[in-house]
Every structure is written in structure tokens, then in C-alpha cells.
Amino acid sequence: MKTYRRGLSPEDKKGIVIFAAGAALLITLLCFVLWVIRSPEKQYDKHTLCNESLPRHAQQLLIIDVSDALSAHQRHFLRRHISGLLTSAKENDRFSIFVLDDHYNGLSDPVIDLCKPRSAEDVSSLTANRTFVEDLYRERFEQPLEAAIARAVNGHAQPVSPIYEALSDVASLDRIDPRAEDVSLTIVSDMIQNSRAGSVFSSGPAAIEKLPPIDLRRARTTVFWLDRAKYRRYQTDALASSWENYLGSVSRFEQLERVRD
């Protein structure tokens, strides 16, 4: 007795094709979701917003001298300068702001230490929630940075001005990001060194010439010299020259720019 095997009907074949296509679509969708979730762009630190899976082009490291209050013009100058840095910064660039602090007799804990996240304009609505990205940028980066700058520029008179100690702390406390391709160190100060390491009030420019060496060779250094009428007799060209020579010996010194009172 012969047995005949019945082949698949056209309807069966059509059903298999539809099922296979649906399964392939589902697998593709799951792979896409997994890729989005595990994308390097998602791997950022929830506190600093820094992404260790992406390159870091630059670190902007600012030390603001709050041993005396800044004038209205100096506050405006500093805000405009930092605003320019923000505009030109790339995603994942780091902003680290410190103040000279008589409590620490050197560098404070970071006033702010954040990496710049993407803004809503930089993302595709297909792969990211633009509202989430916008809120992250504004609430976790832009607003805290603005608040930190406001606190930093509203300083009060202090008995010491540990400029050298703050610079030494940058090196000894590893405040320079090792992953940053370019490091810019900006010192905002009247540059009147006054601490146990040396005092311009008692020794003049010689106080700077006798400071011990430190290693800031990775940093391009700029000084915004805050002119102060009450210190005019100390803020001489000789003092500026001493600081230029010292910073040139320990870092990649670029310029000293005076900011009027």
C-alpha cells in the first residue's frame, strides 16, 4: 500500500513567510533597543555626567581667587568668558571650578565638576528622547554651573591668599583629568600671594621667585589678573614678570591679561 506525503499548501507557505518576517522584525527591533540602551552615549556618570566611553577633547579648569570680592566689571568679564567656553566646548568636555579657600589654605573641593552632555539640538528623535536630553542639559549641567559661578564670584575678604598652595594642590590631588586631550588652567586672581609659602606684602616679587617647583606641564595656563586699587603698589610689572617666569617654568604658560577694577 503506497503512502503519499501531502506537501505544504500555498496558505501554509504564506503563513510561514509571514511568521518568519515577523520574527525577523521582532529580533531586529530587540537588537536596536539593546543597542540604544548599551550605546556608549548612554554610559555617563550620574554625578559628573562624564562619559568614559567617549573621547574627552578638553578640560577647562578654573581657579577663582575669592580672597577679596570681585568688582561688577570683573564679575561680568568672568561670566562672559565662561559663557564663551561653554559655547565652544564639545560634548563630554569637562568643567572643573575651584576657589582659593582660607579654610583649606589652598584649593577648595570642586565648586563644580561636570562634563558637558549633549544638548537637544545634537540628538535624533529616532534614537533619543529629546525632552529628556534637554532637561538633563539644563537641570543637571547648565543651571548648576550658573549657580556655582554665582557662588564663586561673590567672595569675601580673607586673611590669606594661598595661590601657590592652590596650584600645588591641582598637581598633588590629581585634579587634571588624565583622559582630557587638552587641559586649560585659568587662574582668576589679583596674584597677591600671601601665605606661609611666601608673601608679596613682605617680600614683593621675590616671594614668587622663591616658590618651590610643581608639575603642571600638561596645562596651558592663563592668568586673568584682577586689578585692585588698594593693592596698586604691589601689583607691579615686576610682580607680573615674576609670575610669568614661574608659571612658564612649571606649566605651558600662555598669557597674563589684566582685568580692570
Side-chain angles (χ1 to χ4, degrees):
M1 182 177 181
K2 293 184 178 180
T3 302
Y4 295 94
R5 299 181 62 185
R6 183 169 175 264
L8 295 174
S9 69
E11 290 76 12
D12 292 335
K13 292 179 181 179
K14 183 177 180 181
I16 291 174
V17 170
I18 293 174
F19 176 80
L25 181 61
L26 180 61
I27 292 172
T28 301
L29 181 61
L30 288 174
C31 290
F32 177 76
V33 171
L34 184 62
W35 175 81
V36 169
I37 293 173
R38 301 186 63 183
S39 170
E41 297 179 353
K42 304 294 182 182
Q43 308 305 312
Y44 63 87
D45 184 277
K46 297 191 184 309
H47 299 289
T48 66
L49 305 183
C50 294
N51 191 326
E52 302 310 319
S53 299
L54 296 177
R56 182 162 302 122
H57 173 70
Q59 179 188 22
Q60 297 291 344
L61 199 158
L62 291 88
I63 300 177
I64 303 175
D65 185 349
V66 295
S67 60
D68 225 318
L70 278 69
S71 70
H73 171 74
Q74 291 166 348
R75 290 196 299 271
H76 176 72
F77 174 90
L78 183 57
R79 289 177 183 277
R80 187 178 61 186
H81 173 72
I82 296 177
S83 176
L85 295 179
L86 280 173
T87 301
S88 60
K90 299 180 179 179
E91 179 187 354
N92 210 38
D93 280 1
R94 189 168 193 159
F95 285 79
S96 307
I97 300 179
F98 303 86
V99 297
L100 302 182
D101 197 305
D102 59 348
H103 174 72
Y104 292 96
N105 195 33
L107 199 68
S108 70
D109 289 333
V111 176
I112 202 78
D113 190 23
L114 294 173
C115 288
K116 182 180 180 180
R118 291 182 301 169
S119 63
E121 292 76 15
D122 299 328
V123 302
S124 167
S125 58
L126 295 176
T127 59
N129 185 325
R130 291 174 65 91
T131 301
F132 170 78
V133 171
E134 184 176 5
D135 289 345
L136 177 70
Y137 184 89
R138 185 178 65 254
E139 297 176 9
R140 295 289 310 283
F141 179 72
E142 192 174 50
Q143 291 177 355
L145 188 60
E146 290 175 353
I149 295 168
R151 292 197 305 271
V153 301
N154 291 313
H156 57 280
Q158 297 181 5
V160 297
S161 182
I163 302 169
Y164 163 77
E165 287 83 352
L167 294 173
S168 179
D169 286 347
V170 170
S172 63
L173 299 178
D174 297 325
R175 295 304 191 182
I176 293 178
D177 191 327
R179 296 190 65 249
E181 299 172 15
D182 182 70
V183 178
S184 295
L185 170 60
T186 302
I187 306 164
V188 183
S189 172
D190 56 25
M191 304 309 286
I192 304 294
Q193 170 70 30
N194 180 36
S195 71
R196 286 176 292 185
S199 176
V200 170
F201 294 133
S202 59
S203 303
I208 311 307
E209 297 163 5
K210 296 176 182 178
L211 293 175
I214 52 180
D215 182 7
L216 294 172
R217 287 173 294 181
R218 286 198 61 221
R220 293 186 298 106
T221 309
T222 296
V223 175
F224 289 136
W225 173 295
L226 304 176
D227 279 334
R228 289 195 167 116
K230 64 180 180 180
Y231 294 147
R232 190 166 296 149
R233 59 179 292 197
Y234 300 104
Q235 291 184 309
T236 62
D237 290 341
L239 179 62
S241 179
S242 293
W243 272 115
E244 289 173 350
N245 291 337
Y246 179 76
L247 292 172
S249 70
V250 302
S251 69
R252 293 183 290 138
F253 177 73
E254 291 198 332
Q255 68 170 337
L256 183 151
E257 179 179 346
R258 288 181 177 264
V259 185
R260 65 174 175 81
D261 200 345

